[in-house]
Amino acid sequence: MSFHTRFRRLRRSLFRLYYRVKYFPFVRERRRSAGDEERGFIVIQLDALSHDDLERAVRQGQAPHIRRLLQRDGWQLRRYPAGLPSATPAAQAAIFYGTRDRIPAFRFYERTIDRTIVCSRPADVQFIRDRLPESGILRNGSSYTNIFDGGADRAAFTFAARRPQPVFQKMGGGRVLLLALLHPFRMVRMVFASLWEYLLEEWNRLISQFRGQSTHYWWYIPILHIGTNVVLRELQTLAVLLDIYVGVPAIYTTYNSYDEYGHHFGPVSRPAMASIRALDRRVGDILRMVRRLPGRPYDVWILSDHGQTPSQPYRVEFGETLGDTIVTAARHGVRVAASPAALAPESGDALDHLVRELEEVAAGSIHPARRALLRVARWVRSQYGLFPLVAEVVRESTDTRIVVTYSSSLAHVYFTTSTRPLLHDEIMANREQHALHAFLAAHRGIGLVITRARDGAIVTGAAGQVHIDRTGRRTRLTGTDPVDDYAATDRERAEIVRLVRLDNAGDLILFGAWDPRENRCICFDDQVGAHGAMGGAQYWPFLLTPPGAIPEDVVIEDPLDIHPLLARYSTAPAGRADGQAQP
């Protein structure tokens, strides 16, 4: 036996002893899975990091661990389409459960129950989860900081699970609390990192304000980011490290900090790029744990669910929200659901009050002085400055109603006078709806207006209209094809058709205008990094896997294609999942 082999065995024995002492409360749990040698998997999701921006971070030296995987260890990096909507709820439903039906956006309207669904409200996410399959790829596994549980036995910091969880259990329960006590140095480091995070974000936001790039701001946003970008980041990493020690067969964890920084400062901004370095260190922690501990063999997958495209907020560009535009154009009652509602905790009462105030204004039943004050407030809100636009959820009772939901660069417009989705011909036959369709198609802030056809979709832009069948082929074209800059292939065009044909998609679907020369799109939210639709990097996430983890003949054209690749781990022969053990 060579010296190198003896040294490697000794080092592993020392690490095993170290972790046995460190995780002594969990030794019995590890022993229960000691004889199970089936290959497991660990998925690390770097939320919203596009393929191109990951490559940029590697070139700039922001991701040394990932660069080592690519250059030294031969890992395979591929770009794949995010599908529509290019948003986390749909992507995780596809990866976890093999379906993304009935999730047309991050925010959408269910006309059958007259309810707006917002995927940052736990009750709404649970509503979606209840319609998904009971079991997913994380059977007998763990889910950390995800939208859904994936069928996991343990789901912490996750919005919705198979069965609703108490708050303490959602936060990881006593297991995470014990982990924190077992890592006092990390906890002290987390406190100092939180303080630094706060000061750095305030500085970056001040610089962005002077440059005219900052988005909506509330006093609690830096504190919220400390929770997601520092505290959760550390606790979920500790939970994954413990799961590796114990031998949990399926682990999926999502890091959200890049997505947050990308929305607020831009996907290639200094804060966003710096967050990649912090996430790369957590990737290194997990890979080291896999290498050091003998036991269950793991394949580690690193992926994103969508990317982000640099954007200009619609309100900044046009001085009003998309909802304001539609209200003015349609001259009808409207309810608008905008993203800041999801960011304001416990904002329901305030929003309900705002609704009542606006209804009173519409009805003329408010005192003239208060009406004037509200008009002044509306003007102040329309200006881009330090004060955020209050989230709009407006409803007026009229003969014709409209619901608008917008999710970053994607918006859905519902004509609620109908109890079912409307076809293009039906919209054109209605004078008011036809007029609104034409107005939105000509608006320079809106790139595409998409409507249903009996055998596909009709996509309208300012300079032309195209009919697309279910396979993505163009069957009729008038003027210039508006889709060319957004979807280059039939496969991408077919994704547009699939989205508009969902029962709970809008009667009109709007994509924010995208300029390929400037690489910038219009975002209907107050964000400078957008995703949800097509145009630029938002539609192109990445997948990074060890050699052999994905068979050579497999083509990934959709997050749905990832589901069977991860599901096979639970049915593969012991020691293999049609791939190699390469952490």
Side-chain angles (χ1 to χ4, degrees):
M1 184 183 301
S2 67
F3 172 79
H4 179 72
T5 302
R6 287 197 297 270
F7 176 76
R8 188 170 55 190
R9 288 186 175 181
L10 174 62
R11 187 177 63 176
R12 280 207 165 192
S13 298
L14 291 175
F15 276 130
R16 186 163 58 242
L17 177 61
Y18 168 75
Y19 286 115
R20 182 176 296 174
V21 173
K22 186 173 186 176
Y23 293 128
F24 71 92
F26 306 99
V27 170
R28 184 177 300 177
E29 192 175 340
R30 174 176 168 83
R31 286 173 180 166
R32 284 199 295 267
S33 61
D36 189 352
E37 295 185 355
E38 283 190 359
R39 181 172 304 284
F41 70 84
I42 303 167
V43 178
I44 305 170
Q45 178 176 312
L46 306 182
D47 194 60
L49 180 57
S50 72
H51 173 274
D52 291 351
D53 289 333
L54 173 64
E55 288 192 327
R56 178 182 288 105
V58 170
R59 289 195 304 269
Q60 294 178 355
Q62 301 287 359
H65 290 99
I66 292 177
R67 181 177 59 190
R68 194 174 301 119
L69 296 177
L70 291 168
Q71 297 179 355
R72 188 192 69 182
D73 299 338
W75 282 42
Q76 298 171 334
L77 176 65
R78 66 181 73 198
R79 187 180 81 151
Y80 75 96
L84 288 176
S86 51
T88 302
Q92 288 197 345
I95 295 171
F96 289 170
Y97 307 104
T99 178
R100 53 194 170 96
D101 292 339
R102 302 194 63 77
I103 308 178
F106 192 85
R107 300 168 192 86
F108 57 94
Y109 176 68
E110 288 284 353
R111 70 174 80 219
T112 57
I113 57 174
D114 189 28
R115 176 176 174 179
T116 301
I117 304 299
V118 179
C119 289
S120 56
R121 293 200 294 242
D124 290 348
V125 180
Q126 189 65 49
F127 171 80
I128 298 173
R129 175 64 184 95
D130 291 342
R131 300 189 297 185
L132 292 169
E134 178 78 6
S135 182
I137 60 170
L138 298 180
R139 183 169 58 90
N140 300 321
S142 298
S143 172
Y144 299 116
T145 325
N146 298 310
I147 296 288
F148 307 112
D149 64 308
D153 289 353
R154 180 179 295 110
F157 316 114
T158 295
F159 273 104
R162 286 175 292 180
R163 292 168 295 276
Q165 299 173 301
V167 173
F168 185 63
Q169 187 178 348
K170 276 189 174 183
M171 297 302 292
R175 184 184 179 91
V176 169
L177 181 61
L178 182 56
L179 270 176
L181 295 175
L182 292 175
H183 293 82
F185 174 74
R186 277 184 179 259
M187 294 302 103
V188 172
R189 188 177 68 181
M190 186 174 70
V191 171
F192 284 102
S194 298
L195 178 61
W196 175 250
E197 179 85 6
Y198 179 82
L199 296 175
L200 189 62
E201 174 152 349
E202 290 295 331
W203 171 254
N204 285 326
R205 193 171 297 280
L206 180 63
I207 296 299
S208 296
Q209 288 284 348
F210 279 114
R211 292 176 178 173
Q213 297 172 337
S214 184
T215 59
H216 53 266
Y217 178 77
W218 289 285
W219 65 269
Y220 61 79
I221 282 183
I223 298 174
L224 182 67
H225 286 171
I226 288 172
T228 58
N229 302 343
V230 178
V231 178
L232 277 183
R233 184 184 68 199
E234 292 300 324
L235 292 180
Q236 71 188 105
T237 302
L238 293 180
V240 171
L241 298 182
L242 175 59
D243 281 351
I244 296 170
Y245 173 77
V246 170
V248 173
I251 306 167
Y252 197 114
T253 187
T254 296
Y255 291 99
N256 296 299
S257 58
Y258 174 81
D259 184 55
E260 289 290 331
Y261 283 119
H263 280 315
H264 287 273
F265 298 104
V268 296
S269 63
R270 181 178 298 177
M273 289 290 109
S275 74
I276 295 176
R277 176 176 285 274
L279 298 181
D280 181 76
R281 286 196 291 269
R282 274 66 197 175
V283 169
D285 289 343
I286 293 170
L287 293 173
R288 276 193 299 273
M289 192 71 166
V290 172
R291 286 194 296 266
R292 287 174 176 178
L293 276 179
R296 183 188 296 278
Y298 284 104
D299 284 340
V300 179
W301 296 50
I302 306 172
L303 57 80
S304 60
D305 50 342
H306 54 80
Q308 280 197 21
T309 299
S311 63
Q312 174 81 337
Y314 182 96
R315 180 172 66 91
V316 177
E317 185 73 13
F318 302 105
E320 61 181 9
T321 68
L322 177 67
D324 291 333
T325 298
I326 292 176
V327 170
T328 303
R331 304 293 183 185
H332 290 168
V334 65
R335 182 166 64 193
V336 181
S339 69
L343 298 175
E346 305 299 328
S347 61
D349 292 342
L351 295 175
D352 290 341
H353 176 72
L354 175 62
V355 171
R356 290 193 297 271
E357 291 281 278
L358 291 173
E359 286 177 343
E360 288 175 355
V361 171
S365 60
I366 192 170
H367 191 277
R370 295 185 63 197
R371 186 184 299 117
L373 183 61
L374 283 174
R375 286 174 179 170
V376 171
R378 180 182 180 84
W379 179 86
V380 171
R381 285 169 42 223
S382 71
Q383 306 308 303
Y384 188 65
L386 290 174
F387 299 99
L389 176 73
V390 177
E392 293 183 289
V393 187
V394 181
R395 182 173 185 171
E396 299 178 22
S397 297
T398 61
D399 294 336
T400 303
R401 293 189 302 140
I402 296 175
V403 172
V404 182
T405 67
Y406 37 107
S407 311
S408 204
S409 58
L410 173 69
H412 291 257
V413 181
Y414 301 82
F415 298 113
T416 59
T417 49
S418 173
T419 58
R420 59 171 178 78
L422 295 176
L423 296 172
H424 177 84
D425 292 344
E426 294 172 313
I427 294 171
M428 295 299 101
N430 181 290
R431 183 168 58 88
E432 291 82 7
Q433 294 171 2
H434 186 170
L436 180 61
H437 177 276
F439 170 78
L440 294 176
H443 196 293
R444 66 182 178 88
I446 296 169
L448 302 179
V449 179
I450 306 165
T451 51
R452 295 175 182 83
R454 296 189 185 278
D455 55 346
I458 294 176
V459 185
T460 309
Q465 184 179 87
V466 64
H467 180 280
I468 307 172
D469 68 19
R470 297 185 188 222
T471 67
R473 292 178 299 180
R474 291 181 294 192
T475 58
R476 293 193 305 275
L477 175 62
T478 303
T480 302
D481 188 346
V483 185
D484 277 347
D485 286 338
Y486 296 83
T489 66
D490 288 351
R491 179 68 184 80
E492 295 166 42
R493 292 168 179 269
E495 192 63 23
I496 293 175
V497 177
R498 189 203 66 82
L499 176 65
V500 76
R501 296 190 66 84
L502 293 177
D503 288 343
N504 54 353
D507 299 305
L508 308 177
I509 295 179
L510 313 179
F511 284 7
W514 179 59
D515 185 344
R517 293 165 299 182
E518 296 286 336
N519 186 30
R520 187 172 299 274
C521 71
I522 291 293
C523 180
F524 301 128
D525 292 347
D526 272 10
Q527 297 170 346
V528 294
H531 62 84
M534 289 176 167
Q538 62 181 306
Y539 192 70
W540 298 103
F542 75 90
L543 177 60
L544 178 61
T545 53
I550 299 178
E552 293 182 1
D553 59 340
V554 170
V555 178
I556 298 178
E557 296 182 324
D558 190 290
L560 289 168
D561 295 330
I562 299 176
H563 173 78
L565 296 174
L566 294 175
R568 66 201 166 122
Y569 282 85
S570 62
T571 58
R576 292 194 66 80
D578 298 329
Q580 302 175 13
Q582 294 287 340

